[in-house]
Amino acid sequence: MKTRFYIVRHGETEANVKDLIQGQLESSLTKLGKMQAQDRAKDFTNLDFTAAYSSDLSRAKDTAKILVANSLEVIADKRLRERRYADLENMIVSEAKTQFARRFALRESLSRDERIKFRLTEGVENDKELMERLTEFLVEKTEEHLNKKILLVAHGDLLRSFLMWLGEYQYGELRGGSIDNLGYFVLENDGENFEVLETVGVKKKN
């Protein structure tokens, strides 16, 4: 008995347009972001989701509401939030990479086990913390929705890190922008094992 999750990145936001590190800060969907969600909703029309969950950040909640078109209540859960980036939040990505170049370079040199526990700077969540909260959520919802299809809307860095942690991609293969807005993957879970069945809008970036 397995539960199938459709795990989606939110639509384009104002911060995406400015190339800012959003982290757990709020940023509204752009007009394009709303259109992206409307377009993806057409692909999901016949999937008959039993439940819909999202991060408690508005860009994910608003995307999820468009995807289900009021057919389901969207339940927000902070375990689906984006990585906490602490002092890096609201910085332009290129400026952050320049200011913390040595830390970014060190991260790239680490082994898988070292990287999972690595923090870019003090207060930034590491992959171990991200995966603990996300997998806790997924196992919990698997038990609640056995043999059902579930919609889940979250964030790019969280989803990239999860795909690499699962071994679908090697660490470093999915960088910022590797998952399109409204890109998604289909995941099955039996309470213990995760299997990625399909990815859409996910691509390696150098």
Side-chain angles (χ1 to χ4, degrees):
M1 300 177 71
K2 298 180 180 179
T3 300
R4 184 170 293 188
F5 296 91
Y6 287 72
I7 304 180
V8 187
R9 185 188 176 201
H10 61 76
E12 181 191 74
T13 67
E14 299 292 346
N16 288 154
V17 173
K18 297 175 183 177
D19 202 26
L20 299 176
I21 297 175
Q22 294 176 96
Q24 296 187 358
L25 296 180
E26 289 285 11
S27 184
S28 300
L29 294 179
T30 63
K31 182 178 180 180
L32 175 58
K34 295 174 182 177
M35 291 175 61
Q36 290 168 335
Q38 291 166 354
D39 288 342
R40 183 62 74 203
K42 298 173 186 176
D43 300 329
F44 291 167
T45 299
N46 298 318
L47 289 178
D48 296 323
F49 293 122
T50 298
Y53 296 92
S54 78
S55 157
D56 63 341
L57 298 174
S58 63
R59 57 190 181 272
K61 288 190 295 185
D62 292 345
T63 299
K65 288 176 182 177
I66 295 171
L67 289 174
V68 299
N70 299 316
S71 63
L72 290 170
E73 176 188 4
V74 174
I75 302 171
D77 194 302
K78 66 181 181 181
R79 289 174 291 181
L80 301 178
R81 279 187 172 196
E82 181 61 288
R83 187 192 303 271
R84 182 180 66 252
Y85 268 102
D87 292 343
L88 276 68
E89 292 180 353
N90 214 35
M91 290 184 68
I92 296 172
V93 173
S94 60
E95 292 180 355
K97 288 184 175 180
T98 297
Q99 183 172 337
F100 297 98
R102 295 178 69 176
R103 296 293 292 173
F104 278 98
L106 173 59
R107 185 180 68 176
E108 296 302 311
S109 71
L110 299 176
S111 69
R112 173 186 171 84
D113 289 344
E114 292 171 328
R115 182 161 175 156
I116 287 171
K117 299 176 183 178
F118 178 76
R119 298 184 195 281
L120 271 173
T121 65
E122 183 178 356
V124 175
E125 280 185 287
N126 62 30
D127 282 4
K128 181 176 184 292
E129 291 166 329
L130 283 182
M131 296 306 100
E132 285 176 347
R133 61 177 166 92
L134 178 57
T135 55
E136 177 188 74
F137 173 88
L138 290 170
V139 171
E140 176 185 299
K141 299 311 171 187
T142 293
E143 295 171 354
E144 292 179 15
H145 303 289
L146 286 175
N147 291 329
K148 303 297 183 182
K149 294 176 183 174
I150 308 302
L151 175 69
L152 190 162
V153 181
H155 304 269
D157 196 2
L158 178 67
L159 304 189
R160 288 190 295 110
S161 298
F162 187 51
L163 286 170
M164 290 186 288
W165 179 75
L166 288 174
E168 291 296 312
Y169 297 86
Q170 297 300 309
Y171 267 93
E173 287 186 333
L174 296 184
R175 301 181 184 276
S178 293
I179 300 181
D180 295 338
N181 293 111
L182 272 297
Y184 68 95
F185 58 95
V186 183
L187 179 80
E188 280 194 342
N189 179 237
D190 61 5
E192 294 183 4
N193 302 304
F194 295 105
E195 181 182 3
V196 177
L197 303 181
E198 179 185 14
T199 62
V200 177
V202 180
K203 54 188 178 299
K204 297 178 185 179
K205 293 190 74 173
N206 295 325

